[in-house]
Amino acid sequence: MTATTTPTRRITAAMAMAEAIAIEMRKSDDVFVMGEDVGPYGGIFGSTTGLYDEFGPERVIDTPISETAFIGAGIGAAVEGMRPVVELMFIDFYGVAMDQITNHMAKIHYESGGEVNVPMVLMSATGAGYSDAAQHSQSLWGTFAHLPGLKVVIPSNPYDSKGLMASAIQDDNPVLYLFHKGAQGLVWMKKNPRSIAEVPEGEFTVPIGEAAIAREGTDVTIVTVSLSVQHSLDVAEELAGEGISVEVVDLRSLVPLDREAVLNSVAKTGRLLVVDEDYRSFGLSGEMAAIIAETDPTLLKRPMRRLAVPDVPIPYARSLEYAILPTTDKIAAAVRDLMS
Amino acid sequence: MTATTTPTRRITAAMAMAEAIAIEMRKSDDVFVMGEDVGPYGGIFGSTTGLYDEFGPERVIDTPISETAFIGAGIGAAVEGMRPVVELMFIDFYGVAMDQITNHMAKIHYESGGEVNVPMVLMSATGAGYSDAAQHSQSLWGTFAHLPGLKVVIPSNPYDSKGLMASAIQDDNPVLYLFHKGAQGLVWMKKNPRSIAEVPEGEFTVPIGEAAIAREGTDVTIVTVSLSVQHSLDVAEELAGEGISVEVVDLRSLVPLDREAVLNSVAKTGRLLVVDEDYRSFGLSGEMAAIIAETDPTLLKRPMRRLAVPDVPIPYARSLEYAILPTTDKIAAAVRDLMS
Amino acid sequence: MTTPDRADLYAGMVRIRKFEARILQEYHADKSPAWDIGAGLIPGEMHLSAGQEPVAVGVSAHLTADDAITATHRPHHFALAHGVDMKRLAAEIYGRTTGLCHGKGGHMHLFDPSHHFSCSGIIGQGYPVACGQAMAMKRRGTDHVAVAVAGEGAANQGAFHESLNLAALWNLPVVFVIEDNDWAISVPRSHSTATPSNADRAAGYGMPGVRVEHNDPDAVLEAAGAAVARARRGEGPSLLEVHTVRLWGHFEGDAQAYRGAELETLDERDPIPAYEARLLETGELTPERVEEISAAATAEVDEAIEFARDSPVPPPEDALRDVFA
Amino acid sequence: MTTPDRADLYAGMVRIRKFEARILQEYHADKSPAWDIGAGLIPGEMHLSAGQEPVAVGVSAHLTADDAITATHRPHHFALAHGVDMKRLAAEIYGRTTGLCHGKGGHMHLFDPSHHFSCSGIIGQGYPVACGQAMAMKRRGTDHVAVAVAGEGAANQGAFHESLNLAALWNLPVVFVIEDNDWAISVPRSHSTATPSNADRAAGYGMPGVRVEHNDPDAVLEAAGAAVARARRGEGPSLLEVHTVRLWGHFEGDAQAYRGAELETLDERDPIPAYEARLLETGELTPERVEEISAAATAEVDEAIEFARDSPVPPPEDALRDVFA
Ligand SMILES: Cc1ncc(C[n+]2csc(CCOP(=O)(O)OP(=O)(O)O)c2C)c(N)n1
Ligand SMILES: Cc1ncc(C[n+]2csc(CCOP(=O)(O)OP(=O)(O)O)c2C)c(N)n1
Ligand SMILES: [Mg+2]
Ligand SMILES: [Mg+2]
């Protein structure tokens, strides 16, 4: 990541995102923001806080509830060389604009034989944990990582939120930037303290495609993304007291995927737990299994463990929702199980 | 599968599908068909041939190009207890109706706590191989298998095409029925002889959720679906001559998934090749790796091989398209490689 | 169907408002001191309908339990007006086993097949489903109708267009209702919709379109009556837009800074006191009747909330059930 | 922009028709005896535009290479009329390295950034993209416009509605063009569209809507001129529907049984001989000029096809390139 010497202060992930967007908007008139309630409201999950006041309605544009039209418009503007940052309020709403996202935003560069770039960021909120039920709680990164043409970026902390957003806007490719509501540091939602952290004031980037070893360890590898990184770090701290050394690999992006980081860690520990707030089957945990199985299945000293949403829609009632989410309890239990 | 004593004759997979729909339509007025060009045209890929003549425009309904509306209408009719069979012409068009498919068709039963059923079939054409390029050549079964609430059925031959369609219509759940254009036995497309086969005239079903061992073998397991089953059988025949014994597992449905069939076969052979015409990453091959890795990674005597579309959109030019498709050459090479 | 008593419409509105007011209170009760959306007896997003009661009672007065309604993320007023059981509705909002969906659905995903009632949290997406319900009703030779509800914000979603075209083309018994409450979260109608009246859009599908400018049960009753009757006669769909008002936030917790001075005028725009005054004047209501209606509604709401609170929380293992029938 | 010569419009149509006729011939040439869609020098689906030339030349006459067009699955006439290089177009259809997209796109996915030209095989989905191009043009202070093309079938897709609303709301320089050729594959307009004229739908977005009933370059030229000029003046979008004709199948290989007796009338409805006769009558064309135009078009087409045929097939390893920039 780019070195930086500017002072840091503790800010939320939401503020960090908005700050990165503001910096890019100051640098270039080509950068603008559109989406539902991104203007005076500042984004339902705070991703555009302050931008309307600084840049006004011409550059921070509230849209009608027409995701196909405004995501498509983002594509058109990007094709013409602008750098739109478009918000899809919840990733769960992908279905009303999936064609623009996966048949157009993702494919134009390839279809054109490289003649046309689509330098656009689509940012969207993911995640469960506050009883928003089946249509407002999904993660869905596995869905987008399966379909070629989009970079899929998933920050887990304020520093990465800022640095990855800067990289995403500067990227000449379409980037899907998925932020977890529960990791935004919002005042009105329960949060892990890791959602507020030291972030440099000035410009910096975090490269897209490099996993972070969020914590080093020797016994068990946890591969994960997003809010589950925070949970996994909590568990790692807890289990350190029991003498279990957990390595936490924060993938940070699924496309490109840092296969080496996963293989290196598993080569070291021989034990793999994938923690994934997305649905279990045909997703992230499968892909992790495959990169090991096609490289060297003997890396695994134990059967791997998958902790993910067990292929059910997200239920509403708290007792049901927490039954299917990868909570710290379940993470800890899975690690212990791998060590037993 | 249900025993049957009716005479058989050689028909195409397309005819077999249409025949199953006709039988169900004769049995119940609740069954009706809608989609683009399903009427007098008989379905672009022959899936509704003859139905309009027998049942007329009230039960075989041509729709406007409004996939959200007519798939949603299918859901509404199903909620009221009818059994619509709806065609989405190409699975590639999912993006204009993805919300209805995955947020409604797939979730209503669960969200309602089991109070509401959605007995609906959504049938759609998949597959590449005739230069229809990036927006008309995808398979995408991995995408739908990842998202909970839909059964995902994928026949590979005329017998299963009929029997699985019957099961799909009789099922009280929403079923996504994906048929490969290149396995329909259409007169205007290059085809494998396996696309035309003996099928009983009368009613029968093939259960959803049971894989078929399309060919038994002892050296290498190929797990696959759809047209790739036909290719894999061809390769198995060819390699038998070289003394390599290939077992071909035709999953037939991804949801429910017959994990046992995969595990049993790999336990026997120790060598796994997954052949998948869908995109490689975060898909079918990953899931196969995971069910082994979480059960017993030592089942694999060799690193597994994944033969799938290498995470690029489907290119147009034949030289490019065949470079990324799982052709018989590549299947044979991968098997040989596993044996070397 | 005989014209409903105006006092009944009034009572219907009071009943809804009391329910919503109680949910408001219950929702906020245990989210302090640090307000946490996921905490308390009622967690999650909460979109309440205060101010929009005239639409629900005016439309539903023409319906029976055989007619369908697809409602929105803001569904309680239509659910109650259509006859969905208040106890089971409350229990669902509390996430209890006795709820309409046994705790799986929640406030945006209410299903009551006995009243052909459903709703969805995805904007505009009830419109297509209502078309399909209407198809089934028509194919079965009944004179039932399906009512599809959306907000004015939702009327700019593709599903709106496709559904209106489909319903008109197939002459389906659907009444498309748009609740224009001027706002889609923080986005005013002027920033979302390129026409002052969605009724104008109906012409593009060859169907009648009416905009009711007054947030008044009588006006809604009349316009909806024509639309429902037309659908029942087999003459096809209609569009009905009602200019209503959202008295509270988009969801609870919404500070509504974006509404500015409008916030101060909201009390005057409350449709219930206005209607009450009118009916008192005509003698259709008396102060005693008003009291009775209020007391009955309070009692019903109390009972429903008590039922919900006393009902069991679903056991965790239920989460794995009901993916498939 | 000065009004184009009518003879030039004629020449533009002839050039397009010759190209399409040649592609037709080349496409079918090597698919026999067992007709195989994937075989031959030109594989895949092939949607040709014969009959629809008046729309392309009438609209494009008002555009320069700085203006954008998003076309459909039936894109050749608009590509050629807008100035996309015929050689590179042909080479793309042949899937060669010299093609517009180096063989990756194919006939439904043509991209020529030097003319802001693109198309898509997904119905209606060029409409939103054109809105975005128009946004960029407007934000940069140019007077360029974006033209979005769709068929009458596509006008029932959600993207149509959302895009018209967005463009009207933001006053974007877009001209929405609908080519009404009566058919969406085998589905007649009467089975897809609940209004006789899509121009009626424009009112629902507060934008001008015009339906040109005659498949005639002059009529299109005039109506498109007003719409383009309006957009250039910054006065916002317009909708223009042209009643045109699809002389051939939906795609090649389409037996068109569903068209019945209409098939026999198609020759008479060919817009090119009609226009030619008119211009011969007024003296704007002479038999010699007609000959010259024909010969020039033939020569250009021959050269383009030769270029395509002689160009290299992309090496397999290119398939893995260009996913990311
Ligand atoms: C497809 C989709 N986009 C966005 C949202 C987020 N959202 C929920 S309610 C809402 C505003 C709805 O406004 P309107 O339709 O006017 O209904 P109201 O809330 O005013 O009743 C938005 C944008 C959503 N649920 N679904
Ligand atoms: C979303 C979507 N649905 C369906 C199709 C399949 N399809 C391709 S062309 C076509 C008919 C288009 O009709 P129209 O818009 O009138 O254009 P025309 O072919 O007549 O030029 C259809 C249904 C598609 N490409 N995309
Ligand atoms: Mg509203
Ligand atoms: Mg057409």
Side-chain angles (χ1 to χ4, degrees):
Chain A
M1 52 200 84
T2 316
T4 165
T5 51
T6 58
T8 70
R9 72 263 110 99
R10 288 177 61 78
I11 57 173
T12 66
M15 290 160 73
M17 277 177 74
E19 196 167 270
I21 299 171
I23 291 172
E24 297 302 318
M25 289 181 79
R26 283 178 212 129
K27 280 160 58 184
S28 165
D29 268 354
D30 285 337
V31 182
F32 68 96
V33 177
M34 62 179 160
E36 292 152 14
D37 307 285
V38 297
Y41 198 104
I44 297 295
F45 303 105
S47 54
T48 58
T49 308
L51 298 181
Y52 184 86
D53 287 345
E54 179 173 353
F55 301 103
E58 291 296 316
R59 294 185 68 196
V60 184
I61 309 168
D62 274 337
T63 61
I65 312 174
S66 306
E67 285 85 356
T68 288
F70 72 75
I71 293 176
I75 296 168
V79 158
E80 294 296 326
M82 303 201 75
R83 293 188 173 266
V85 178
V86 181
E87 180 161 283
L88 176 64
M89 192 188 291
F90 286 69
I91 193 64
D92 307 72
F93 309 158
Y94 75 118
V96 300
M98 191 63 165
D99 184 73
Q100 287 294 334
I101 301 170
T102 59
N103 267 335
H104 293 87
M105 183 177 158
K107 287 183 185 162
I108 284 175
H109 183 71
Y110 187 86
E111 286 174 335
S112 75
E115 296 289 334
V116 179
N117 287 350
V118 186
M120 166 173 172
V121 178
L122 183 64
M123 59 184 179
S124 193
T126 70
Y130 60 102
S131 284
D132 220 356
Q135 297 176 336
H136 289 73
S137 302
Q138 298 170 102
S139 291
L140 295 179
W141 39 65
T143 297
F144 291 95
H146 178 58
L147 301 165
L150 298 179
K151 296 193 176 178
V152 180
V153 161
I154 314 171
S156 72
N157 61 57
Y159 185 93
D160 287 353
S161 295
K162 182 169 175 180
L164 286 168
M165 178 56 83
S167 292
I169 298 173
Q170 291 168 19
D171 204 297
D172 284 336
N173 296 290
V175 178
L176 179 64
Y177 179 107
L178 296 173
F179 58 94
H180 198 294
K181 292 162 249 173
Q184 285 289 84
L186 302 170
V187 289
W188 45 274
M189 203 179 274
K190 188 181 66 181
K191 60 196 145 298
N192 190 300
R194 299 178 200 277
S195 300
I196 306 176
E198 296 286 331
V199 178
E201 278 174 14
E203 191 186 342
F204 69 95
T205 58
V206 170
I208 297 174
E210 283 183 23
I213 306 303
R215 178 187 174 105
E216 294 203 15
T218 52
D219 293 329
V220 173
T221 297
I222 296 181
V223 174
T224 186
V225 286
S226 195
L227 180 65
S228 296
V229 174
Q230 302 187 359
H231 293 331
S232 297
L233 289 171
D234 290 346
V235 169
E237 282 174 13
E238 177 195 334
L239 295 181
E242 299 177 22
I244 302 178
S245 169
V246 175
E247 176 143 312
V248 179
V249 180
D250 176 358
L251 291 171
R252 297 201 293 200
S253 71
L254 299 192
V255 182
L257 180 66
D258 190 346
R259 295 166 60 101
E260 293 312 309
V262 175
L263 289 167
N264 290 340
S265 182
V266 175
K268 180 167 67 169
T269 63
R271 296 183 183 86
L272 173 64
L273 166 65
V274 180
V275 181
D276 182 12
E277 203 181 308
D278 193 6
Y279 302 114
R280 178 167 54 208
S281 293
F282 298 85
L284 172 59
S285 54
E287 187 60 23
M288 296 305 103
I291 65 181
I292 294 166
E294 70 185 352
T295 306
D296 181 0
T298 68
L299 292 181
L300 291 177
K301 290 191 281 199
R302 288 292 179 84
M304 79 178 280
R305 291 290 310 260
R306 311 205 260 174
L307 187 55
V309 175
D311 299 330
V312 304
I314 315 282
Y316 168 69
R318 196 179 296 121
S319 60
L320 301 174
E321 186 185 20
Y322 277 83
I324 57 92
L325 288 179
T327 53
T328 48
D329 289 5
K330 288 182 213 132
I331 298 170
V335 171
R336 287 196 192 96
D337 188 54
L338 276 167
M339 292 303 295
S340 71
Chain B
M1 56 200 77
T2 316
T4 168
T5 53
T6 58
T8 70
R9 72 264 107 99
R10 289 178 59 78
I11 57 173
T12 65
M15 290 160 74
M17 277 177 75
E19 198 167 88
I21 299 171
I23 291 172
E24 298 301 318
M25 289 180 79
R26 282 177 213 129
K27 282 162 56 184
S28 165
D29 269 354
D30 285 337
V31 181
F32 69 96
V33 178
M34 63 179 159
E36 293 151 15
D37 307 285
V38 297
Y41 199 102
I44 296 296
F45 303 106
S47 52
T48 59
T49 307
L51 298 182
Y52 184 87
D53 288 345
E54 179 173 352
F55 301 101
E58 291 297 315
R59 293 185 67 197
V60 185
I61 309 168
D62 275 338
T63 62
I65 313 173
S66 306
E67 286 84 356
T68 288
F70 73 76
I71 293 174
I75 296 168
V79 158
E80 294 296 326
M82 304 202 74
R83 295 189 172 265
V85 178
V86 181
E87 180 161 284
L88 174 65
M89 190 187 291
F90 287 68
I91 193 63
D92 307 72
F93 309 157
Y94 74 119
V96 301
M98 191 63 165
D99 183 73
Q100 287 294 335
I101 302 170
T102 59
N103 267 335
H104 293 88
M105 182 175 157
K107 288 183 186 163
I108 284 175
H109 183 70
Y110 187 86
E111 286 174 333
S112 75
E115 296 289 335
V116 179
N117 286 351
V118 186
M120 166 173 172
V121 179
L122 182 65
M123 60 183 177
S124 192
T126 71
Y130 60 101
S131 285
D132 221 355
Q135 297 176 336
H136 289 74
S137 301
Q138 299 171 99
S139 291
L140 295 179
W141 39 65
T143 297
F144 292 95
H146 178 58
L147 301 165
L150 299 179
K151 296 194 176 178
V152 180
V153 160
I154 314 170
S156 72
N157 61 57
Y159 185 92
D160 287 352
S161 295
K162 182 169 175 181
L164 286 169
M165 178 57 82
S167 293
I169 297 173
Q170 291 169 19
D171 203 297
D172 284 335
N173 296 290
V175 177
L176 179 65
Y177 180 107
L178 296 173
F179 58 93
H180 198 294
K181 293 162 248 173
Q184 284 288 85
L186 302 170
V187 290
W188 45 275
M189 205 180 273
K190 187 181 67 181
K191 63 194 143 296
N192 189 301
R194 300 180 199 275
S195 302
I196 306 176
E198 296 288 332
V199 178
E201 278 174 13
E203 190 187 342
F204 68 96
T205 58
V206 169
I208 297 175
E210 284 183 23
I213 306 303
R215 179 186 173 103
E216 294 201 15
T218 52
D219 293 328
V220 172
T221 297
I222 296 182
V223 174
T224 185
V225 285
S226 194
L227 181 64
S228 296
V229 174
Q230 301 189 359
H231 294 329
S232 298
L233 289 170
D234 290 346
V235 169
E237 282 174 12
E238 179 195 333
L239 294 183
E242 298 177 21
I244 302 178
S245 170
V246 175
E247 177 144 310
V248 179
V249 180
D250 177 358
L251 291 172
R252 296 202 292 198
S253 70
L254 299 192
V255 182
L257 180 65
D258 190 345
R259 295 165 60 101
E260 293 312 307
V262 175
L263 288 168
N264 290 341
S265 183
V266 175
K268 178 166 71 170
T269 64
R271 295 183 183 87
L272 173 63
L273 167 65
V274 179
V275 181
D276 181 12
E277 203 182 307
D278 192 6
Y279 303 114
R280 178 168 52 208
S281 293
F282 299 83
L284 172 59
S285 53
E287 188 59 22
M288 296 304 104
I291 66 182
I292 294 166
E294 69 185 353
T295 307
D296 180 0
T298 68
L299 291 181
L300 291 177
K301 291 190 284 201
R302 286 294 178 84
M304 79 177 281
R305 290 290 310 258
R306 311 204 260 174
L307 189 54
V309 176
D311 299 330
V312 303
I314 315 282
Y316 168 70
R318 195 179 296 120
S319 60
L320 301 175
E321 186 185 21
Y322 276 83
I324 56 92
L325 288 178
T327 53
T328 48
D329 289 5
K330 287 183 214 133
I331 298 170
V335 172
R336 287 197 191 96
D337 188 52
L338 276 166
M339 292 301 295
S340 72
Chain C
M1 177 160 300
T2 55
T3 312
D5 208 78
R6 302 216 298 172
D8 288 346
L9 293 179
Y10 169 78
M13 295 206 293
V14 169
R15 181 172 168 264
I16 293 168
R17 179 67 60 83
K18 295 248 182 205
F19 182 81
E20 297 291 63
R22 184 66 187 278
I23 295 287
L24 177 79
Q25 187 189 347
E26 295 275 312
Y27 180 78
H28 286 288
D30 48 5
K31 290 196 169 50
S32 52
W35 198 86
D36 171 4
I37 187 174
L41 276 176
I42 307 180
E45 285 185 60
M46 183 52 62
H47 312 83
L48 298 174
S49 65
Q52 304 185 190
E53 298 89 351
V55 196
V57 300
V59 170
S60 302
H62 299 286
L63 307 180
T64 77
D66 289 330
D67 299 312
I69 296 186
T70 61
T72 70
H73 58 286
R74 196 181 301 291
H76 303 169
H77 53 326
F78 269 98
L80 290 171
H82 193 43
V84 170
D85 181 62
M86 192 189 278
K87 292 220 276 278
R88 296 189 62 208
L89 170 62
E92 188 57 32
I93 295 171
Y94 278 76
R96 302 302 167 101
T97 56
T98 54
L100 290 167
C101 310
H102 313 297
K104 285 212 168 85
H107 128 90
M108 285 190 278
H109 315 100
L110 303 165
F111 293 86
D112 179 358
S114 69
H115 288 76
H116 304 265
F117 181 87
S118 66
C119 60
S120 167
I122 308 292
I123 289 301
Q125 301 299 318
Y127 270 38
V129 174
C131 290
Q133 292 179 291
M135 278 181 84
M137 291 161 171
K138 184 176 173 181
R139 298 175 87 81
R140 288 176 168 161
T142 72
D143 71 347
H144 306 150
V145 307
V147 172
V149 188
E152 93 295 338
N156 300 304
Q157 178 68 220
F160 168 91
H161 174 69
E162 295 191 6
S163 301
L164 266 71
N165 184 60
L166 201 77
L169 199 62
W170 294 350
N171 208 41
L172 298 175
V174 187
V175 178
F176 296 103
V177 175
I178 299 177
E179 293 185 281
D180 175 9
N181 61 9
D182 293 327
W183 293 96
I185 311 187
S186 73
V187 180
R189 185 186 169 110
S190 60
H191 284 48
S192 75
T193 311
T195 173
S197 168
N198 273 303
D200 295 345
R201 291 179 171 175
Y205 313 99
M207 71 170 76
V210 172
R211 179 170 164 96
V212 173
E213 202 46 66
H214 299 293
N215 191 28
D216 178 87
D218 294 352
V220 175
L221 186 77
E222 189 186 332
V228 171
R230 186 173 175 322
R232 286 209 203 285
R233 287 193 308 267
E235 292 170 17
S238 312
L239 176 73
L240 169 62
E241 179 166 62
V242 182
H243 190 192
T244 184
V245 65
R246 195 188 84 201
L247 291 178
W248 303 341
H250 170 74
F251 32 37
E252 289 313 310
D254 177 3
Q256 300 198 76
Y258 54 84
R259 276 179 104 163
E262 192 205 354
L263 284 175
E264 280 140 48
T265 70
L266 289 178
D267 276 356
E268 298 153 30
R269 294 172 63 195
D270 188 333
I272 297 183
Y275 200 55
E276 181 182 303
R278 226 158 68 222
L279 299 202
L280 282 169
E281 207 165 306
T282 62
E284 284 160 283
L285 278 179
T286 59
E288 298 70 42
R289 185 87 187 92
V290 167
E291 259 320 303
E292 275 166 36
I293 288 170
S294 171
T298 302
E300 189 188 1
V301 169
D302 284 348
E303 199 189 340
I305 300 295
E306 199 173 334
F307 173 79
R309 279 173 168 267
D310 291 349
S311 291
V313 166
E317 58 273 21
D318 274 10
L320 300 183
R321 301 209 178 97
D322 299 326
V323 179
F324 292 116
Chain D
M1 178 161 296
T2 54
T3 313
D5 208 77
R6 303 217 296 172
D8 287 346
L9 293 178
Y10 170 78
M13 297 205 292
V14 169
R15 180 171 168 265
I16 293 168
R17 179 68 60 85
K18 295 249 182 207
F19 181 80
E20 296 291 63
R22 184 66 186 277
I23 295 288
L24 177 79
Q25 186 189 350
E26 295 274 313
Y27 180 79
H28 287 288
D30 47 6
K31 290 195 170 51
S32 51
W35 199 85
D36 170 4
I37 187 175
L41 276 176
I42 306 180
E45 284 185 59
M46 182 54 62
H47 313 83
L48 298 174
S49 66
Q52 303 185 191
E53 299 87 351
V55 195
V57 300
V59 170
S60 303
H62 299 287
L63 307 179
T64 76
D66 289 329
D67 299 313
I69 296 185
T70 60
T72 71
H73 57 286
R74 196 181 302 290
H76 303 168
H77 53 325
F78 270 98
L80 290 171
H82 193 43
V84 171
D85 182 62
M86 191 189 279
K87 292 220 278 276
R88 296 188 62 207
L89 169 62
E92 187 58 32
I93 296 170
Y94 277 76
R96 303 304 167 101
T97 56
T98 54
L100 290 167
C101 310
H102 314 297
K104 287 213 168 84
H107 127 89
M108 284 191 278
H109 315 99
L110 303 165
F111 292 87
D112 180 357
S114 69
H115 289 76
H116 304 265
F117 181 88
S118 66
C119 59
S120 167
I122 308 291
I123 288 302
Q125 301 299 320
Y127 270 38
V129 174
C131 290
Q133 292 179 292
M135 277 181 85
M137 291 162 170
K138 185 177 170 178
R139 297 175 86 80
R140 287 175 168 160
T142 72
D143 71 348
H144 305 150
V145 307
V147 172
V149 187
E152 93 294 338
N156 301 304
Q157 178 69 220
F160 168 91
H161 174 68
E162 296 191 4
S163 301
L164 266 72
N165 184 60
L166 201 76
L169 200 61
W170 294 350
N171 208 40
L172 298 175
V174 187
V175 178
F176 296 103
V177 174
I178 300 176
E179 295 185 281
D180 175 8
N181 61 10
D182 292 328
W183 292 96
I185 312 185
S186 72
V187 180
R189 183 185 171 110
S190 60
H191 285 48
S192 74
T193 310
T195 174
S197 168
N198 274 303
D200 295 345
R201 292 179 169 174
Y205 313 99
M207 71 170 76
V210 172
R211 179 170 163 98
V212 174
E213 203 45 68
H214 299 292
N215 190 28
D216 177 86
D218 294 351
V220 176
L221 186 76
E222 190 186 329
V228 171
R230 185 169 186 277
R232 287 208 202 287
R233 286 194 307 267
E235 291 169 16
S238 312
L239 175 73
L240 170 62
E241 179 167 63
V242 182
H243 191 192
T244 184
V245 66
R246 195 188 84 200
L247 291 177
W248 302 343
H250 169 74
F251 33 36
E252 288 313 311
D254 177 3
Q256 301 198 77
Y258 54 83
R259 276 179 103 164
E262 191 206 355
L263 284 174
E264 280 141 47
T265 70
L266 290 178
D267 276 356
E268 300 152 29
R269 293 172 62 194
D270 189 333
I272 298 183
Y275 200 56
E276 181 181 304
R278 225 155 72 222
L279 299 202
L280 283 169
E281 208 166 305
T282 62
E284 283 159 285
L285 277 179
T286 59
E288 298 71 42
R289 186 87 188 91
V290 167
E291 260 319 303
E292 275 166 35
I293 286 169
S294 170
T298 303
E300 189 189 0
V301 170
D302 284 349
E303 200 189 338
I305 300 295
E306 198 172 335
F307 172 79
R309 280 172 167 268
D310 291 350
S311 291
V313 165
E317 60 273 20
D318 274 10
L320 299 183
R321 301 211 177 97
D322 299 327
V323 179
F324 291 116

